[in-house]
Amino acid sequence: DKAKLTLFINTILEKGKIIFAKDLDSETIMGLCMFHKSEYWFSKEQLMNIHVLYIRKSFRNYKLVKTIIDSVKNVSEGLPINLSVTSGLHIDPVFEKLGFQNMGSNWRLL
């Protein structure tokens, strides 16, 4: 849905940030991260909420993911960083290595 996607991207641009990782040799976008400051649904405590973390399959490696997450940390003002994984890639060990703590799971009924 192009209109919905445009609204989402514009909202992130207004309230948050987008990080692009680009291969300078091939001028190819390797991946991106979209995030913004938010509050927990149950309190006024703030956090940094990562909505999208995507790395193209041919560029997926720990170093690139770490670089992007470190970039988020650099602007997070010491706030906790929340990342909800909704893919079937099963890369929990990568997020644990990056310092994320598993706080539950997302479930989807098909």
Side-chain angles (χ1 to χ4, degrees), residues 69-87:
I69 295 299
D70 285 347
S71 297
V72 175
K73 286 180 183 178
N74 286 339
V75 297
S76 71
E77 303 166 354
L79 295 173
I81 299 171
N82 185 42
L83 169 65
S84 177
V85 178
T86 57
S87 76

Side-chain angles (χ1 to χ4, degrees), residues 15-26:
K15 295 182 176 185
K17 299 189 182 310
I18 300 176
I19 297 171
F20 285 98
K22 181 179 177 182
D23 181 348
L24 298 177
D25 294 330
S26 66

Side-chain angles (χ1 to χ4, degrees), residues 3-4 9 14 19 24-25 27-28 31 36 38 43-44 46 57 59 64-65 86 90 105:
K4 189 173 184 179
I9 292 171
E14 289 173 17
I19 297 171
L24 298 177
D25 294 330
E27 297 291 318
T28 303
H36 72 90
S38 185
S43 75
K44 294 287 186 184
Q46 292 190 324
K57 191 171 187 175
F59 292 100
L64 182 56
V65 174
T86 57
H90 306 291
S105 297

Side-chain angles (χ1 to χ4, degrees), residues 39-46:
E39 292 180 349
Y40 290 101
W41 64 270
F42 53 84
S43 75
K44 294 287 186 184
E45 186 179 346
Q46 292 190 324

Side-chain angles (χ1 to χ4, degrees), residues 19-22 30-35 50 52-74 81 83 85 87 89 91-100:
I19 297 171
F20 285 98
K22 181 179 177 182
M30 298 183 297
L32 64 92
C33 183
M34 297 181 178
F35 61 100
I50 297 176
V52 177
L53 175 60
Y54 176 77
I55 308 295
R56 276 189 166 177
K57 191 171 187 175
S58 59
F59 292 100
R60 288 180 187 159
N61 63 62
Y62 177 77
K63 184 177 178 181
L64 182 56
V65 174
K66 182 176 182 344
T67 299
I68 290 174
I69 295 299
D70 285 347
S71 297
V72 175
K73 286 180 183 178
N74 286 339
I81 299 171
L83 169 65
V85 178
S87 76
L89 294 179
I91 58 170
D92 291 350
V94 171
F95 293 118
E96 289 171 2
K97 188 174 178 181
L98 289 166
F100 285 93

